[in-house]
Amino acid sequence: MTEMDYRKEINEALNAGQEALSCLNQARDCLNSAGNWGIVDMLGGGMITTFIKRSKMKDADALVQQARSALKRFQRELMDVENIPEFRIETGDFLTFADYFFDGFVADMLVQSKIGDARRQVDNAIQKVNYIMNQLKGM
C-alpha cells in the first residue's frame, strides 16, 4: 500500500469515526434530557411529563440506531488501517428500553435506571471512539 493510499484509508476511518461520535454525542444529549424529564416524572410530573420523557427516549433510541450503523462503518474502515488495535463495541443490547404501558413510581425508577445504563454505554462508546481517533490522528 502506498503512503497516499494509507493516508486515504486513515482519512476514511477518521471520517467514519467522526460520524459515529456525532451520533453518539447527540444520543447522549437526548438521554440526558430524558433522564432529567424522568426525574420530574418520578416527582409527580404527570401525563405530559411522561409523554415528553418517552418522546426523548424514542429520539435517543433512533439516534443510537444511527450510531450503531456509524460504528459498524467505523469498524469496517479500521480494518483497512494497519497498527490499530482491534476495535469492538458490542451494540447488541445498546440502549434497549422496555415500553411501559403503566405508570407509577416503580416503573419510573426502572425506566430511569435504563436511561442511566444507556447513558453509560454511550459514554463508554464515545471514550473508545475518541481513543482510536486520537491514535489515527497520530499516524
Side-chain angles (χ1 to χ4, degrees), residues 36-102:
N36 292 339
W37 282 105
I39 291 169
V40 172
D41 199 21
M42 286 191 318
L43 297 174
M47 216 162 53
I48 292 174
T49 303
T50 300
F51 174 78
I52 294 170
K53 175 186 71 178
R54 289 184 182 171
S55 175
K56 295 293 182 183
M57 290 168 56
K58 185 177 178 182
D59 293 346
D61 190 43
L63 288 163
V64 167
Q65 297 305 320
Q66 289 176 6
R68 269 190 186 139
S69 296
L71 287 168
K72 286 178 184 175
R73 180 173 164 248
F74 186 43
Q75 287 175 334
R76 281 193 310 270
E77 292 297 341
L78 287 174
M79 289 181 196
D80 296 335
V81 179
E82 297 172 4
N83 301 322
I84 291 291
E86 185 175 338
F87 173 75
R88 278 266 173 247
I89 293 180
E90 294 303 322
T91 59
D93 15 309
F94 208 42
L95 188 64
T96 52
F97 287 124
D99 191 7
Y100 294 98
F101 292 102
F102 54 91

Side-chain angles (χ1 to χ4, degrees), residues 100-124:
Y100 294 98
F101 292 102
F102 54 91
D103 198 17
F105 187 74
V106 173
D108 291 342
M109 283 182 55
L110 290 172
V111 170
Q112 197 67 12
S113 174
K114 283 284 192 184
I115 291 169
D117 291 345
R119 197 176 359 199
R120 281 186 289 283
Q121 290 174 0
V122 168
D123 286 339
N124 186 23

